[in-house]
Amino acid sequence: MKMERQVMRVKDSNLGLQLIATLLVLCFCYTHALAEEKSQQTKKTFIVHMDMSKMAATYEDHFQWYDSSLKSVSESADMLYAYNNIIHGFSTRLTPEEAELLEKQPGILSVLPEMIYKLHTTHSPEFLGLGKSDAVPSASASISEVIVGVLDTGVWPEIKSFDDTGLGPIPSTWKGTCEVGKNFNSSSCNRKLIGAQYFSKGYEAAFGPIDETMESKSPRDDDGHGTHTATTAAGSAVSGASLFGYAFGTARGMATQARVAAYKVCWLGGCFSSDILAAMEKAVADGVNVISMSIGGGISDYNRDTVAIGAFRAVAQGILVSCSAGNGGPSAGSLTNVAPWITTVGAGTLDRDFPAYVNLGNGKNYSGISLYSGKPLSDSLLPLVYAGNASNSTSGNLCMTGTLIPSHVAGKIVICDRGLNSRVQKGMVVRDSGGLGMILANTELYGEELVADAHLLPTSTVGQRTADAIKNYAFSDAKPMATIASGGTKLGVEPSPVLAAFSSRGPNLVTPEVLKPDLIAPGVNILAGWTGAVGPTGLTSDKRHVSFNIISGTSMSCPHVSGLAALIKAAHQDWSPAAIKSALMTTAYATYKNGENILDVATGQPSTPFDFGAGHVNPVAALDPGLVYDASVDDYIDFFCALNYSASDIKQIANKDFTCDSSKKYSLGDLNYPSFSVPLQTASGKGGGAGVTSTVKYTRTLTNVGAPATYKLSMTSKTPSVKILVEPESLSFSKEYEKKTYTVTFTAKSMPSGTNSFAHLEWSDGKHVVGSPIAFSWT
């Protein structure tokens, strides 16, 4: 009994000590929480205006200067935005005391409290000039009658981007259905998402029955790609949208009042042409007005190209078909979807970025890009190692699964080379091996192209030049150190747009006489709706769920143009697909305000019409182009005759019996296209050599879609080797839909094979400018 009492006393004593310790911990946590809450309550948003002339030469760029200045007064504060246009500076959350301290620093012009204004638009539409309320004529009734059919991976119908609030009854022209399948009911559709169907027979024929534990045999999107493209084209406006706080704003498609019809044609194993053709056929029958396809493959003659054939049939029935140019850039001749009746869209950037800063132990600072949103690294420098030196594998530098030695990377920032496996998977490999952060290094193949990803650990993706500098430091320093810090969302990036390195390039290898791509649109780091089935990286290990995601590709630029085409269709309901495409192309811009061509991020040099076609889309101008280059089925059939297609070939494409007239001279240069591509004889070609010239004549017809006016010619050329004669040099239109024809004669000297040069032709009445690029290639 005595022993029991002693044991009980010891237990009671221990319990008392534990209780006191617990109370102390709770008291500390409560006090800390109160202090933190008070700090947050006293913090306000300030706009910091900086004097660029005061930036020290030690900084790689001014954004690193901004970050350094901010961190000097607050270790925890992050930049909300970085500015580089109207002002130089940034916005951030600070206490009044921190703001006062910051304002006393050298180079700070002012630290101003934020004023609240209403945000009425998202960034993609704003960048395209659609942000102003009077930019687009009021046509809500007519735009709600336009249906955009999206052939992709399906849709995730529950997201707010498919909210049908404010929309009237489904258009009477709609003949489609809402197909029931796994996890998809007839109630999944509404007055915004008016139809959804899936096409899997070709896929299942190749791979066997769909494994419904892996993907839904229904229109439901298990991938995310289809939801992203559909909402880019015609998603409803959703306020407060972002990806983990990045790109915060109101997400909206290009045509917010248009209806969406989804056709699921892509599965885990790919997109099969039989399924695609079936979906295109159904879309035409259903009554869509625009078909958007961010799908591509190889190239072949038009009569052997399923997408080209399906698109021709759609265009013949008044449906515009918009397709992605492909992600094969910057290689020349990497285009897909090159048929002249298809609107082929390349990709450019917005004036928005998501910087991630790399600070090295030698004091050097560099800027990359990232969408990482988790716990940040501390400001303390961490050991830095190159993956190739932390692996026994010859491909260790690529951070592929199983290639890193955990003891060599644990607790370190790892430099991984880009290539082969996915960018986000590299980070997962680093994380699973014990690494704390990753610097994703572009190699020569990727150059300076920076694509943002929602990484799973602190990451900065850097261009090749920066990557080389960081590697040189890592190789030369005995104890290399680094850290990574997020810069949030940065607006006002200049120059913008620039051509994306991945955007596929011309020339058109099927028909060099047709310039492709047709134009470019935003396709880099685009925010749009996402599936609930997978995380933002698409990796099975990524369990995060988001309603919006930021991804890149010509898959993203294509639906921008699809939605803009819907706007034009609503404003001009009797226009043909060719007229709509012409309006988009002839009003596109290819230069900055200083007159220089849009830059190519792959080279840092000006891009060319083989890269951007007619230029970057300008939707407000496209609504009122003045003149258009129209084309009918008969024009395309003459084009087939110029290609020496047989009656059988023509029938395959046009579903029309037609035999070319052997007594008629058909010319590829006579296709009424809004741009010019002129293949010419080379010095090494037959009959080539010094002093040899060749003459080529192209014919074009313009249709007046505006008020009566006289248009005068303006020509600029960088090609002294080619003389250009346009007849006549003035075109007078007295009524709407009047047509006028002109000819362009090119007299060219022989040049070495592989030579390219360019010119630009414009017609203007003083209000409208109807522009056409001209590309010359000696091959």
Side-chain angles (χ1 to χ4, degrees), residues 589-639:
Y589 62 93
T591 60
Y592 302 121
K593 291 178 181 179
N594 63 5
E596 293 295 318
N597 268 21
I598 291 172
L599 290 179
D600 182 351
V601 74
T603 63
Q605 300 299 313
S607 53
T608 76
F610 282 141
D611 306 322
F612 56 65
H616 192 282
V617 67
N618 182 1
V620 176
L623 287 162
D624 180 24
L627 307 173
V628 295
Y629 294 89
D630 207 352
S632 65
V633 169
D634 290 341
D635 292 307
Y636 294 124
I637 288 178
D638 284 351
F639 171 76

Side-chain angles (χ1 to χ4, degrees), residues 473-493:
Y473 163 69
F475 297 153
S476 61
D477 195 288
K479 292 184 178 180
M481 306 287 282
T483 192
I484 300 168
S486 170
T489 301
K490 178 177 73 176
L491 296 176
V493 175

Side-chain angles (χ1 to χ4, degrees), residues 67-364:
D67 185 62
S68 176
S69 299
L70 178 57
K71 290 295 187 288
S72 69
V73 298
S74 175
E75 293 292 336
S76 61
D78 290 320
M79 281 189 280
L80 302 176
Y81 290 100
Y83 305 105
N84 188 34
N85 194 357
I86 298 172
I87 69 164
H88 292 282
F90 58 91
S91 58
T92 186
R93 297 279 292 178
L94 297 170
T95 65
E97 293 78 12
E98 289 169 340
E100 185 178 348
L101 184 62
L102 182 61
E103 193 165 23
K104 294 176 180 177
Q105 289 196 6
I108 306 295
L109 295 174
S110 63
V111 179
L112 303 175
E114 181 181 52
M115 293 181 65
I116 298 175
Y117 298 88
K118 290 185 178 180
L119 182 64
H120 292 150
T121 181
T122 60
H123 206 68
S124 227
E126 183 180 57
F127 182 71
L128 293 171
L130 297 176
K132 297 178 181 178
S133 59
D134 59 347
V136 181
S138 177
S140 58
S142 55
I143 188 61
S144 68
E145 294 297 309
V146 177
I147 304 165
V148 180
V150 181
L151 276 66
D152 213 297
T153 63
V155 286
W156 192 266
E158 290 81 10
I159 63 172
K160 291 181 180 179
S161 296
F162 293 121
D163 183 12
D164 63 358
T165 301
L167 287 172
I170 292 171
S172 59
T173 55
W174 173 245
K175 309 300 181 188
T177 61
C178 191
E179 189 173 6
V180 175
K182 183 182 179 182
N183 300 323
F184 208 95
N185 304 315
S186 58
S187 60
S188 298
C189 296
N190 58 16
R191 290 170 299 171
K192 162 58 80 172
L193 179 63
I194 61 174
Q197 298 163 72
Y198 67 94
F199 301 83
S200 62
K201 292 180 180 178
Y203 171 59
E204 291 187 283
F207 282 88
I210 289 171
D211 182 353
E212 295 197 54
T213 65
M214 298 290 293
E215 53 186 334
S216 303
K217 191 173 182 180
S218 75
R220 184 165 291 279
D221 180 14
D222 302 305
D223 177 88
H225 191 276
T227 301
H228 199 280
T229 56
T231 56
T232 297
S236 299
V238 181
S239 61
S242 73
L243 174 64
F244 304 131
Y246 291 102
F248 183 87
T250 300
R252 47 157 287 185
M254 296 298 99
T256 56
Q257 299 294 310
R259 317 297 179 125
V260 175
Y263 300 86
K264 184 175 178 179
V265 297
C266 295
W267 307 84
L268 286 177
C271 318
F272 286 70
S273 59
S274 57
D275 295 331
I276 293 169
L277 195 59
M280 294 181 79
E281 186 174 86
K282 191 67 171 65
V284 172
D286 288 346
V288 305
N289 304 105
V290 175
I291 290 177
S292 183
M293 292 196 299
S294 295
I295 299 169
I299 57 172
S300 60
D301 290 338
Y302 306 123
N303 64 316
R304 302 181 65 83
D305 184 335
T306 302
V307 170
I309 293 169
F312 187 92
R313 304 285 177 87
V315 167
Q317 297 192 47
I319 301 165
L320 182 136
V321 179
S322 172
C323 292
S324 48
N327 295 340
S331 300
S334 52
L335 292 163
T336 63
N337 300 316
V338 297
W341 48 91
I342 290 174
T343 302
T344 310
V345 188
T349 65
L350 295 170
D351 62 343
R352 179 179 68 194
D353 214 343
F354 308 102
Y357 305 110
V358 178
N359 302 316
L360 301 181
N362 61 3
K364 295 289 182 67

Side-chain angles (χ1 to χ4, degrees), residues 484-739:
I484 300 168
S486 170
T489 301
K490 178 177 73 176
L491 296 176
V493 175
E494 295 293 346
S496 60
V498 297
L499 184 76
F502 60 74
S503 187
S504 289
R505 317 301 172 91
N508 181 345
L509 299 183
V510 178
T511 313
E513 291 82 0
V514 176
L515 183 63
K516 289 283 183 170
D518 291 313
L519 72 172
I520 62 172
V524 179
N525 301 330
I526 303 301
L527 178 77
W530 196 245
T531 177
V534 296
T537 64
L539 296 176
T540 55
S541 60
D542 186 357
K543 303 303 181 184
R544 298 172 296 179
H545 290 286
V546 297
S547 295
F548 296 90
N549 199 8
I550 295 173
I551 57 176
S552 302
T554 55
S555 283
M556 284 61 258
S557 56
C558 167
H560 275 84
V561 169
S562 305
L564 297 173
L567 288 178
I568 298 173
K569 180 68 176 177
H572 306 284
Q573 298 174 40
D574 57 344
W575 282 15
S576 70
I580 294 173
K581 177 163 76 169
S582 173
L584 290 163
M585 290 176 64
T586 61
T587 58
Y589 62 93
T591 60
Y592 302 121
K593 291 178 181 179
N594 63 5
E596 293 295 318
N597 268 21
I598 291 172
L599 290 179
D600 182 351
V601 74
T603 63
Q605 300 299 313
S607 53
T608 76
F610 282 141
D611 306 322
F612 56 65
H616 192 282
V617 67
N618 182 1
V620 176
L623 287 162
D624 180 24
L627 307 173
V628 295
Y629 294 89
D630 207 352
S632 65
V633 169
D634 290 341
D635 292 307
Y636 294 124
I637 288 178
D638 284 351
F639 171 76
F640 297 146
C641 291
L643 289 170
N644 296 316
Y645 274 21
S646 66
S648 174
D649 294 333
I650 294 172
K651 184 70 179 284
Q652 289 177 57
I653 306 170
N655 195 30
K656 185 174 182 178
D657 292 313
F658 188 88
T659 301
C660 301
D661 186 346
S662 59
S663 64
K664 181 179 177 180
K665 184 179 180 181
Y666 297 96
S667 170
L668 293 171
D670 290 341
L671 178 65
N672 203 36
Y673 214 68
S675 58
F676 296 81
S677 183
V678 189
L680 293 164
Q681 186 146 6
T682 71
S684 58
K686 184 178 179 181
V692 175
T693 61
S694 58
T695 300
V696 182
K697 182 179 287 188
Y698 282 26
T699 302
R700 293 290 189 270
T701 299
L702 282 162
T703 301
N704 181 36
V705 291
T710 296
Y711 286 78
K712 297 194 175 183
L713 174 74
S714 174
M715 176 72 68
T716 57
S717 177
K718 299 178 180 178
T719 314
S721 301
V722 182
K723 291 183 179 179
I724 305 171
L725 175 65
V726 180
E727 298 177 306
E729 294 186 350
S730 178
L731 300 172
S732 293
F733 298 89
S734 59
K735 58 184 178 180
E736 192 176 17
Y737 300 123
E738 183 178 3
K739 297 180 183 291

